[in-house]
Amino acid sequence: MSKEIIKEKKFSLMPNKEKAEQIYIWLDESKAKNITVLEIKNAVTDTVIIASASSARHAKSLADHIIAMSKNANFEILSTEGYQAGTWVLVDLNDIVVHIFQEETRELFHLESLWHEAEHVVMSERAKKV
């Protein structure tokens, strides 16, 4: 009799929309402003989340919270960029990329215009109530 080897999935299998909603909630809990969720489905990622921070310290705090909560939820974390400066922090969660900007930097780069044809994902009432 052969033993069947069952490999455990390394990362969460949560559907992308639910994962984006969870990240939205985490950002909202940490007082991020103007949170936008875009479904872009390209070769790099499926979803982009853009949020504003009030300062470099706040941007770093938001990134720290997303990273800590992602680890707890078993979300794959590929990389973080821009953390030291804190003006634009990118957290790459593979199928979701989170951009955290200080407001002035967000206005300067206006990433939303890059994906102007992308679907703006409306978060559920649960996410909006947080």
Side-chain angles (χ1 to χ4, degrees):
M1 205 175 353
S2 67
K3 289 185 178 180
E4 187 177 319
I5 299 173
I6 300 173
K7 289 188 177 183
E8 209 174 297
K9 179 71 176 164
K10 187 174 179 183
F11 298 109
S12 171
L13 296 174
M14 181 182 287
N16 189 273
K17 184 162 181 166
E18 288 177 33
K19 188 174 175 182
E21 186 171 285
Q22 189 59 62
I23 294 166
Y24 179 98
I25 290 168
W26 296 335
L27 287 165
D28 191 64
E29 286 172 346
S30 298
K31 308 294 186 229
K33 301 293 182 208
N34 197 14
I35 306 167
T36 302
V37 181
L38 302 171
E39 189 174 304
I40 60 170
K41 300 225 185 255
N42 65 21
V44 178
T45 192
D46 294 336
T47 304
V48 171
I49 299 176
I50 304 169
S52 296
S54 58
S55 65
R57 183 181 207 171
H58 187 212
K60 292 176 183 182
S61 174
L62 291 170
D64 288 340
H65 188 61
I66 294 300
I67 291 165
M69 298 304 286
S70 293
K71 286 179 181 176
N72 288 343
N74 206 27
F75 294 168
E76 184 175 16
I77 303 168
L78 296 181
S79 66
T80 303
E81 301 292 332
Y83 183 87
Q84 291 303 324
T87 55
W88 177 357
V89 182
L90 180 143
V91 180
D92 186 345
L93 302 171
N94 191 13
D95 53 345
I96 296 178
V97 176
V98 182
H99 296 271
I100 303 166
F101 287 98
Q102 287 186 45
E103 194 61 46
E104 309 80 45
T105 307
R106 184 173 180 172
E107 289 174 15
L108 177 66
F109 287 98
H110 194 59
L111 283 189
E112 290 92 331
S113 68
L114 288 176
W115 300 294
H116 63 277
E117 293 180 8
E119 177 186 344
H120 284 253
V121 179
V122 178
M123 292 290 102
S124 73
E125 289 305 312
R126 178 178 158 256
K128 290 179 185 177
K129 289 179 183 177
V130 173

